[in-house]
């Protein structure tokens, strides 16, 4: 009988998390792509849809897709208004890559201000920047 190596035959299921990049700047996917390309990342841009896909060195991808900053929940709408948010991108990233992509999120925030946070009820945790009111 052949020996089985541990984990062989099992399909690895990647867990993805949803984040938000919120900024008071007006930013599009093309500008984000240009900034991240400066940092050596491979990008694929669908300019007409304002959508960006980044390929990490491990071949996983990180997707940026714009969403309208018009939240229906009054507390969410207030959160956006109080921070003068003009641009929001939904970000999908593999949970195992969060430490690797955080420096890129910090670079985004450094250039465009704002913050990258969890797409949760309280916009937590914050991965880069600060969600505190200015």
């Amino acid at each position: 009988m052949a020996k089985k190596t541990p984990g062989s035959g099992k399909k690895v299921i990647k867990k993805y998390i949803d984040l938000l990049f919120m900024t008071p700047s007006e930013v599009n996917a093309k500008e984000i792509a240009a900034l991240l390309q400066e940092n050596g990342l491979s990008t694929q841009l669908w300019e007409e849809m304002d959508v960006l896909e980044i390929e990490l060195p491990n071949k996983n991808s990180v997707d940026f897709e714009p969403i309208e900053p018009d939240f229906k929940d009054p507390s969410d709408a207030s959160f956006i208004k109080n921070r003068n948010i003009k641009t929001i991108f939904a970000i999908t990233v593999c949970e195992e890559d969060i430490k690797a992509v955080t420096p890129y999120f910090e670079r985004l925030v450094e250039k465009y201000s704002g913050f990258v946070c969890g797409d949760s009820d309280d916009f937590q945790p914050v991965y880069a920047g600060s969600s505190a009111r200015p």
Side-chain angles (χ1 to χ4, degrees):
M1 186 190 289
K3 275 189 170 178
K4 274 196 136 182
T5 55
S8 67
K10 287 187 178 181
K11 192 171 190 175
V12 176
I13 298 173
K14 294 180 182 179
K15 183 177 177 192
Y16 285 86
I17 55 175
D18 295 319
L19 308 177
L20 297 170
F21 169 47
M22 298 189 191
T23 175
S25 303
E26 292 191 17
V27 184
N28 61 41
K30 185 176 182 178
E31 292 167 311
I32 294 172
L35 177 70
L36 295 175
Q37 286 170 341
E38 288 174 14
N39 290 278
L41 289 177
S42 174
T43 63
Q44 200 164 33
L45 175 66
W46 293 273
E47 199 169 345
E48 63 283 348
M49 294 184 296
D50 202 28
V51 171
L52 172 65
E53 179 182 273
I54 299 163
E55 185 178 301
L56 299 174
N58 66 3
K59 302 299 181 201
N60 286 348
S61 65
V62 180
D63 301 324
F64 286 75
E65 187 173 334
I67 60 174
E68 290 300 318
D70 57 349
F71 288 86
K72 304 295 179 242
D73 182 287
S75 66
D76 291 350
S78 177
F79 182 92
I80 299 302
K81 183 181 179 198
N82 290 338
R83 288 155 185 81
N84 196 28
I85 301 300
K86 291 190 173 53
T87 303
I88 302 175
F89 275 88
I91 304 170
T92 305
V93 61
C94 186
E95 191 172 45
E96 70 186 41
D97 294 326
I98 197 69
K99 283 187 176 152
V101 297
T102 299
Y104 301 115
F105 294 159
E106 289 168 350
R107 182 77 181 99
L108 268 177
V109 169
E110 186 181 296
K111 176 133 184 170
Y112 298 111
S113 72
F115 53 95
V116 175
C117 63
D119 185 0
S120 63
D121 290 342
D122 61 355
F123 303 112
Q124 293 293 325
V126 175
Y127 293 93
S130 171
S131 64
R133 288 171 73 166

